[in-house]
Amino acid sequence: MQIIDGKATAVEIKAEIKSEVDAIIAGGERAPHLAAILVGHDGGSETYVAYKIKDCEEVGFRSTLVRFEEDVDEQILIDKILELNNDELLDGFIVQLPLPEHINEQKIIEAIDPKKDVDGFHPVNVGRTVIGLPSFVSATPAGIIELLKRYGIETSGKNCVVLGRSNIVGRPMSILMSQKSMNATVTVAHSRTKDLEKLCASADILIAALGVPGFIKGNMVKEGAVVIDVGTTRVPSTETKSGFRLKGDVVYDELAPLCSYITPVPGGVGPMTRVSLLSNTLLAAKGNIYN
Ligand code: GUN
């Protein structure tokens, strides 16, 4: 069994991005610039956005944080998005989700110019991904594809089971795995799927994105399977300073001895999600997706 080290791979990719940024600046151009809009003070969102800003600093990007209070009017948020859409000194931006209940999340996503949608959430980017056109791809699926490629994991002709059908992870993941570049045979499983144990046990590549800690047990995996654990549920812990720790969808100790490859939690998919946002921002700055 080989552990897929997302943390080390992310460090490697960040170094690659940093050297590209250095070359851009040496060529007399400005550094890539990412902005994040954060509404309210949700602990998880605060942490994620802080990491995104720290990541930008590490690779030499400029970053901007735009904050609104929890009770911000939807139109004020949309006006800000329209302003960022037209800011020529900004390459891409994200609106950290979830948003407060009074705000229509889909309306917000659709207000973002697809050319600056480095989260890849806009229907135009999702649609372009589906038909194989250049697009910004959601960070977690993009990060997983990069891990599979860098570890030289064969996907062609393999049975891939994706657990979960969210717009951000499961759905785009299933689309990417079925594309000609990956050539997997994909099944998307969800809460109404029958005989889930049997289905999981048939997978050569199992991608768990349910958000249910410890859901995938040893009896649900085929010997030699590749297991990608996307779960990052915060569970209370007395052993950490923060008072919580991250728990994956997979019972790691049960699956690891059976697998050919497995991603740990933490240190697997998470760091790759973070680095994919940087990769997308670099693509935006270089005009590689939309000319
Ligand atoms: N909330 C959880 N994950 C994400 C993400 O990838 N992007 C944004 N904008 N919000 C999130």
Side-chain angles (χ1 to χ4, degrees):
M1 181 276 295
Q2 191 176 349
I3 295 171
I4 299 179
D5 190 341
K7 200 171 163 187
T9 308
V11 168
E12 216 173 273
I13 297 173
K14 274 195 273 189
E16 293 165 13
I17 294 173
K18 172 90 172 59
S19 67
E20 278 206 53
V21 173
D22 290 345
I24 289 170
I25 293 168
E29 289 178 64
R30 64 165 178 79
H33 181 194
L34 173 72
I37 298 180
L38 177 58
V39 179
H41 299 275
D42 171 75
S45 294
E46 289 272 1
T47 306
Y48 289 134
V49 169
Y51 279 143
K52 288 169 188 179
I53 287 170
K54 181 174 161 279
D55 290 341
C56 283
E57 279 167 15
E58 265 183 55
V59 298
F61 287 3
R62 183 179 160 202
S63 65
T64 300
L65 173 59
V66 182
R67 279 184 175 275
F68 290 100
E69 285 305 320
E70 184 84 17
D71 61 355
V72 64
D73 187 68
E74 185 177 271
Q75 192 54 46
I76 291 183
L77 200 51
I78 289 176
D79 288 346
K80 182 45 114 178
I81 289 170
L82 299 181
E83 185 190 316
L84 298 184
N85 283 345
N86 293 312
D87 183 345
E88 286 178 5
L89 298 176
L90 182 67
D91 300 297
F93 64 99
I94 63 141
V95 180
Q96 186 64 30
L97 305 179
L99 290 168
E101 290 238 323
H102 69 280
I103 293 172
N104 181 336
E105 216 160 81
Q106 194 57 30
K107 200 169 157 188
I108 295 300
I109 290 170
E110 290 184 34
I112 301 171
D113 182 342
K115 296 184 177 68
K116 291 197 174 180
D117 170 40
V118 285
D119 255 335
F121 292 172
H122 193 287
V124 166
N125 277 312
V126 178
R128 287 174 66 100
T129 303
V130 171
I131 60 172
L133 289 175
S135 59
F136 292 114
V137 176
S138 177
T140 299
I144 294 170
I145 295 290
E146 194 60 31
L147 277 179
L148 293 172
K149 286 185 178 164
R150 289 195 181 226
Y151 274 80
I153 293 169
E154 181 61 80
T155 56
S156 183
K158 302 290 182 187
N159 287 328
C160 174
V161 172
V162 179
L163 295 166
R165 55 181 162 182
S166 71
N167 290 343
I168 296 181
V169 184
R171 182 77 63 204
M173 194 70 237
S174 67
I175 288 159
L176 294 170
M177 289 300 286
S178 71
Q179 276 170 343
K180 285 201 168 161
S181 54
M182 305 307 280
N183 280 320
T185 305
V186 183
T187 308
V188 182
H190 45 77
S191 54
R192 303 293 170 94
T193 298
K194 294 209 170 81
D195 239 341
L196 195 60
E197 286 184 17
K198 203 165 135 201
L199 179 66
C200 291
S202 74
D204 301 310
I205 303 169
L206 184 62
I207 303 176
L210 292 167
V212 182
F215 186 84
I216 310 289
K217 316 261 189 316
N219 65 340
M220 294 168 81
V221 70
K222 176 156 92 176
E223 193 142 1
V226 175
V227 175
I228 307 292
D229 189 352
V230 187
T232 49
T233 308
R234 288 172 165 218
V235 296
S237 169
T238 51
E239 286 158 33
T240 61
K241 217 165 51 178
S242 60
F244 68 85
R245 68 184 177 89
L246 296 179
K247 197 162 177 217
D249 287 353
V250 162
V251 182
Y252 184 88
D253 292 343
E254 284 184 24
L255 270 78
L258 303 167
C259 302
S260 56
Y261 292 89
I262 188 165
T263 60
V265 176
V269 173
M272 291 300 291
T273 297
R274 282 171 58 183
V275 94
S276 294
L277 181 62
L278 299 175
S279 301
N280 280 350
T281 304
L282 185 59
L283 289 172
K286 295 196 293 188
N288 281 3
I289 304 293
Y290 298 91
N291 299 313

